[in-house]
Every structure is written in structure tokens, then in C-alpha cells.
């Protein structure tokens, strides 16, 4: 009868684990997606500024794209540059530039990247002469967004530091109260 109890307990624990493992994996995936999105948002201003600088220096859109992907150092993963490398490889394998840029925007899934890829596609299809001006506007918007993100991150850091500050305050109060009672 004891063996039967253990087997039912083991069966119950196995069922619980089977339910919890997919939930935990889903949470891991969700946190990884949030981390990817944050990094994409933080990397956009730098990427758009480098791209604009290279285009203003006289490189073609494709040339600037390839130069950025070649200069990427793989010692730290940056999702935007990984996506750019993927788009460059698609172009090397015969896909049109416009399609590769569109897919880049869709894969990143963020509005600034979609707008950037739309600008590039529009430049290829219609031959926009004021691409540099439009890219400069994008750089300004990106740095404004970066300042806003920095404010939000600063507020989050301040909130995270609130508990340690309260703990230190309570320790200081305890020391003062201890000294006051010792002097009596």
C-alpha cells in the first residue's frame, strides 16, 4: 500500500512539472523578446546616425548597408546588426534590395525600423533626391526618442534603488535609537 502511495505522489508531481515547464519556457521566451525589443530601441539612434553619415559621405544606400555590416564586431550581440547582416546575405543571394529592406523592417517589428526600411525602399523605387534630409529627420527623432528612453530607464533605476535606501534609513534610525537608549 505504501508503494501505491509513492507512485501516486510521483505521478502527481510529474503532472505538475509537465504543466509548469511550458509555462516557465514561455516566460523565458517572453523576457528574451522584451530584452531584444529594448536593445533594438537603444541601438536605433546609433545605427541610423552611422547610416546617414555614410550616405552623406557619398556611399550608396547598399554600400552604406554593407559597410555597417562589415564593421560589426560579433563579440557582443546586437540584434539590429544581426538583422542587417541577414538582409545583406539575402541581397548577396539574389534577393532584390527593396525586398531585403522590407523584410528587415518586418523582422525587427518596431516602428522606427519599419519607417527606415520604407524610406530605403522608397528611395530605390522612386529615386528620392532628398533622402539625406529625410534621414537627418530620422536621426533627430531617434535621438529625441533616446533621451526619452534614458529618462524612463533612470526612473526605473531610481525605483529599484528605493528599497535599499529605505533599508539604510531604517538602519540609521536603529543606530540612533540604540545610542539614545544607551545614554539614558
Amino acid at each position: 500500500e505504501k508503494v501505491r502511495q509513492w507512485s501516486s505522489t510521483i505521478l502527481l508531481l510529474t503532472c505538475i512539472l509537465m504543466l509548469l515547464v511550458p509555462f516557465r519556457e514561455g516566460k523565458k521566451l517572453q523576457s528574451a523578446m522584451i530584452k531584444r525589443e529594448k536593445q533594438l530601441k537603444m541601438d536605433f539612434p546609433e545605427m541610423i546616425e552611422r547610416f546617414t553619415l555614410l550616405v552623406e559621405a557619398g556611399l550608396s544606400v547598399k554600400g552604406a548597408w554593407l559597410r555597417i555590416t562589415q564593421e560589426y564586431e560579433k563579440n557582443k550581440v546586437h540584434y539590429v546588426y544581426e538583422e542587417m547582416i541577414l538582409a545583406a546575405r539575402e541581397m548577396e543571394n539574389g534577393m532584390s534590395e527593396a525586398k531585403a529592406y522590407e523584410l528587415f523592417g518586418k523582422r525587427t517589428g518596431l516602428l522606427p525600423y519599419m519607417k527606415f526600411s520604407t524610406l530605403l525602399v522608397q528611395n530605390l523605387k522612386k529615386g528620392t533626391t532628398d533622402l539625406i534630409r529625410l534621414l537627418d529627420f530620422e536621426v533627430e527623432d531617434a535621438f529625441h526618442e533616446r533621451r526619452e528612453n534614458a529618462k524612463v530607464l533612470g526612473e526605473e533605476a531610481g525605483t529599484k534603488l528605493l528599497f535599499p535606501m529605505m533599508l539604510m534609513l531604517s538602519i540609521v534610525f536603529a543606530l540612533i535609537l540604540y545610542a539614545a537608549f544607551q545614554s539614558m
Side-chain angles (χ1 to χ4, degrees), residues 33 36-37 40-41 83 102-115 117:
M33 292 296 290
R36 177 183 183 269
E37 187 175 317
L40 282 171
K41 284 181 183 178
E83 293 294 337
E102 282 179 30
L103 290 176
F104 166 76
K106 287 180 184 177
R107 279 192 309 264
T108 56
L110 295 175
L111 186 63
Y113 290 102
M114 289 183 206
K115 190 175 178 182
S117 66

Side-chain angles (χ1 to χ4, degrees), residues 84-132:
M84 288 179 80
I85 289 172
L86 183 60
R89 287 194 181 130
E90 288 173 343
M91 286 186 268
E92 289 172 359
N93 290 333
M95 185 180 287
S96 69
E97 279 185 67
K99 186 68 175 170
Y101 296 145
E102 282 179 30
L103 290 176
F104 166 76
K106 287 180 184 177
R107 279 192 309 264
T108 56
L110 295 175
L111 186 63
Y113 290 102
M114 289 183 206
K115 190 175 178 182
F116 172 66
S117 66
T118 303
L119 282 175
L120 297 180
V121 171
Q122 181 182 10
N123 178 52
L124 288 173
K125 289 183 179 177
K126 297 182 181 178
T128 308
T129 57
D130 57 344
L131 176 68
I132 294 173

Side-chain angles (χ1 to χ4, degrees), residues 175-184:
L175 288 173
I176 291 172
L177 288 175
Y178 177 75
F181 284 122
Q182 286 294 328
S183 65
M184 288 181 162

Side-chain angles (χ1 to χ4, degrees), residues 5-173:
Q5 258 183 347
W6 280 105
S7 63
S8 63
T9 306
I10 291 173
L11 180 65
L12 180 66
L13 288 174
T14 304
C15 290
I16 291 172
L17 282 175
M18 288 177 64
L19 292 174
L20 291 179
V21 167
F23 179 74
R24 183 174 179 218
E25 293 300 317
K27 286 289 187 183
K28 279 184 182 178
L29 182 63
Q30 186 179 17
S31 68
M33 292 296 290
I34 290 171
K35 178 184 171 190
R36 177 183 183 269
E37 187 175 317
K38 280 184 180 180
Q39 189 183 61
L40 282 171
K41 284 181 183 178
M42 295 302 289
D43 285 344
F44 182 71
E46 178 188 338
M47 186 275 302
I48 190 81
E49 183 182 29
R50 287 177 68 194
F51 188 85
T52 304
L53 184 65
L54 290 171
V55 170
E56 285 176 350
L59 284 175
S60 66
V61 171
K62 186 176 181 180
W65 190 278
L66 293 175
R67 169 71 69 82
I68 289 173
T69 59
Q70 289 169 354
E71 292 175 357
Y72 169 60
E73 298 172 11
K74 293 188 178 187
N75 56 0
K76 184 178 178 191
V77 175
H78 288 274
Y79 295 108
V80 64
Y81 298 119
E82 295 291 332
E83 293 294 337
M84 288 179 80
I85 289 172
L86 183 60
R89 287 194 181 130
E90 288 173 343
M91 286 186 268
E92 289 172 359
N93 290 333
M95 185 180 287
S96 69
E97 279 185 67
K99 186 68 175 170
Y101 296 145
E102 282 179 30
L103 290 176
F104 166 76
K106 287 180 184 177
R107 279 192 309 264
T108 56
L110 295 175
L111 186 63
Y113 290 102
M114 289 183 206
K115 190 175 178 182
F116 172 66
S117 66
T118 303
L119 282 175
L120 297 180
V121 171
Q122 181 182 10
N123 178 52
L124 288 173
K125 289 183 179 177
K126 297 182 181 178
T128 308
T129 57
D130 57 344
L131 176 68
I132 294 173
R133 185 179 58 83
L134 294 173
L135 287 174
D136 284 336
F137 286 138
E138 284 300 309
V139 168
E140 289 176 26
D141 288 343
F143 277 103
H144 176 71
E145 186 69 30
R146 187 175 189 174
R147 279 193 299 265
E148 294 300 318
N149 285 340
K151 287 179 186 177
V152 169
L153 290 174
E155 291 170 0
E156 287 177 7
T159 304
K160 288 179 182 177
L161 291 176
L162 193 58
F163 178 72
M165 287 177 20
M166 295 295 284
L167 187 62
M168 287 177 20
L169 181 65
S170 62
I171 290 172
V172 169
F173 279 149

